[in-house]
Amino acid sequence: MDQRLFAAASAAMERAYAPYSKFQVGAAILAADGQIYSGCNVENAAYPVGTCAEAGAIAAMVCDGRQQIREVVVIGRGDAMCTPCGGCRQRIREFATPETKIHVCGPEGLRRTFTRDELLPESFGPENLS
Ligand code: THU
């Protein structure tokens, strides 16, 4: 795991706005050209409008002109692994290859690394529409 990515995700987690769940999440993406993009969860008093950390990081990447994910770090506190939710697995899927690594971390460091294909096997993607 790229330590710069871990640092970016950790910093994002600290800035997360999660007054309702009290569960802060940070995400960082290493784009194919080496650029790093981060995001945090941003909750809302209208609960369903809240957004995930991964969604924020992906939006920042796309807005900056990159569309290829090389590696992802997701970080959250607590004993359980902060694996990406179902929706975020699909969001990552759009811009990653089956082998792209997703590093699930806690504040202490790496807990487990998954490939995109492990998190979302037999997935639906852009190829289905071509
Ligand atoms: N959350 C994320 O930011 N990413 C995930 O993949 C899992 C869940 C956030 C959403 C919500 O603000 C909080 O964690 C609790 O579900």
Side-chain angles (χ1 to χ4, degrees), residues 4 7 11-13 22-23 38 41 47 54 56 62 85-86 89 94 98 102 110 115 119 124 127:
R4 292 173 309 150
M13 178 178 72
K22 311 239 186 295
F23 191 78
S38 55
N41 52 333
Y47 291 179
E54 298 91 324
V62 172
C85 75
R89 293 177 193 209
E94 185 79 10
I102 294 135
L110 179 65
T115 64
L119 291 184
F124 186 90
E127 304 78 24

Side-chain angles (χ1 to χ4, degrees), residues 21 23 25 41 43 51-54 83-85 88:
S21 72
F23 191 78
V25 182
N41 52 333
E43 297 184 348
T51 51
C52 282
E54 298 91 324
T83 45
C85 75
C88 287

